[in-house]
Amino acid sequence: KAGVTQTPRYLIKTRGQQVTLSCSPISGHRSVSWYQQTPGQGLQFLFEYFSETQRNKGNFPGRFSGRQFSNSRSEMNVSTLELGDSALYLCASSLASSGGISYEQYFGPGTRLTVT
Amino acid sequence: KNQVEQSPQSLIILEGKNCTLQCNYTVSPFSNLRWYKQDTGRGPVSLTIMTFSENTKSNGRYTATLDADTKQSSLHITASQLSDSASYICVVPSDNAGNMLTFGGGTRLMVKP
């Protein structure tokens, strides 16, 4: 079974620009979560999508947004990029959660975003 | 505030030696605790998931323990190998569905020959 894939793997953008990152979950997984990883803040939860709906959201400004398509693929968008947005962006997928059961999350390799 | 704290921040050991990494958490509600291994530039890979009713869980040379009363967990690595060099991250979901993860700062382990 193919793992979580993310594209592109590396990206260089200029301040003020916007960027869209893509994540394809493991087949059959309906939940996709996004995380930001920086040396200073470590890993932080951005948001989670399930069945095309944002179900949970972390403490990030509105410049960070996302969406999920009917095939569970997800995109994350960052508008008006700032230098501090330079980070590794990870997405993770898991089976649909129900009845209080917590499923394991499988991470993709990440997209390394550099803002200059 | 939900928090996960790990110690030490970094650790250097010789190949073949054992080591233990620590994790303290204050996350509520608590459903499970996870240890991940992350190689440089790669996504984290799950090592173990422990529910509140489990005290010990092993995955090869990795053994995790959990004390839900004191809210502490440890990850013990036996007979370390060079490939164990990585960051080890303790993770606790802050929602019952397990999709909002609170991460510790990680322990960066370096195994030297």
Side-chain angles (χ1 to χ4, degrees):
Chain A
K1 197 180 241 188
V4 178
T5 59
Q6 292 186 244
T7 57
R9 292 294 312 280
Y10 303 91
L11 203 50
I12 300 175
K13 290 286 188 179
T14 305
R15 272 181 300 175
Q17 288 186 314
Q18 75 164 14
V19 66
T20 299
L21 312 181
S22 180
C23 171
S24 293
I26 291 172
S27 178
H29 286 190
R30 294 169 62 190
S31 171
V32 175
S33 299
W34 287 90
Y35 302 89
Q36 181 196 65
Q37 186 173 32
T38 60
Q41 299 296 321
L43 272 157
Q44 294 181 285
F45 171 77
L46 278 158
F47 31 65
E48 183 232 351
Y49 284 87
F50 175 75
S51 291
E52 302 178 64
T53 301
Q54 187 181 90
R55 190 163 59 173
N56 292 295
K57 190 178 190 304
N59 189 27
F60 277 81
R63 299 186 297 106
F64 292 82
S65 63
R67 59 177 175 168
Q68 186 181 34
F69 302 95
S70 58
N71 61 358
S72 293
R73 189 177 70 85
S74 178
E75 287 182 348
M76 189 192 93
N77 185 76
V78 187
S79 62
T80 319
L81 283 167
E82 300 176 359
L83 294 179
D85 296 333
S86 295
L88 179 67
Y89 290 89
L90 293 159
C91 92
S93 74
S94 68
L95 290 169
S97 57
S98 62
I101 298 174
S102 178
Y103 290 98
E104 181 175 347
Q105 290 200 7
Y106 295 85
F107 285 82
T111 293
R112 172 73 63 185
L113 171 65
T114 301
V115 182
T116 63
Chain B
K1 182 184 176 184
N2 292 328
Q3 284 189 309
V4 179
E5 296 181 348
Q6 293 186 243
S7 61
Q9 281 191 323
S10 61
L11 186 60
I12 301 174
I13 62 174
L14 292 176
E15 186 179 13
K17 297 296 185 183
N18 304 334
C19 66
T20 300
L21 316 180
Q22 302 291 342
C23 172
N24 297 332
Y25 63 92
T26 54
V27 178
S28 180
F30 176 78
S31 60
N32 61 75
L33 182 144
R34 312 171 183 194
W35 282 94
Y36 282 86
K37 177 186 178 185
Q38 185 177 24
D39 293 312
T40 302
R42 299 194 166 211
V45 174
S46 178
L47 294 174
T48 66
I49 298 178
M50 301 179 70
T51 64
F52 64 87
S53 62
E54 296 176 296
N55 298 119
T56 304
K57 200 163 192 177
S58 293
N59 177 3
R61 295 180 296 103
Y62 301 102
T63 299
T65 65
L66 174 65
D67 186 333
D69 292 330
T70 61
K71 299 186 177 180
Q72 295 180 325
S73 176
S74 66
L75 180 69
H76 186 74
I77 304 175
T78 304
S80 61
Q81 301 176 357
L82 298 179
S83 59
D84 291 332
S85 295
S87 287
Y88 292 84
I89 306 171
C90 177
V91 184
V92 181
S94 50
D95 66 319
N96 287 327
N99 295 310
M100 289 181 66
L101 303 182
T102 299
F103 296 84
T107 293
R108 181 169 292 279
L109 175 65
M110 182 179 294
V111 180
K112 290 192 169 183

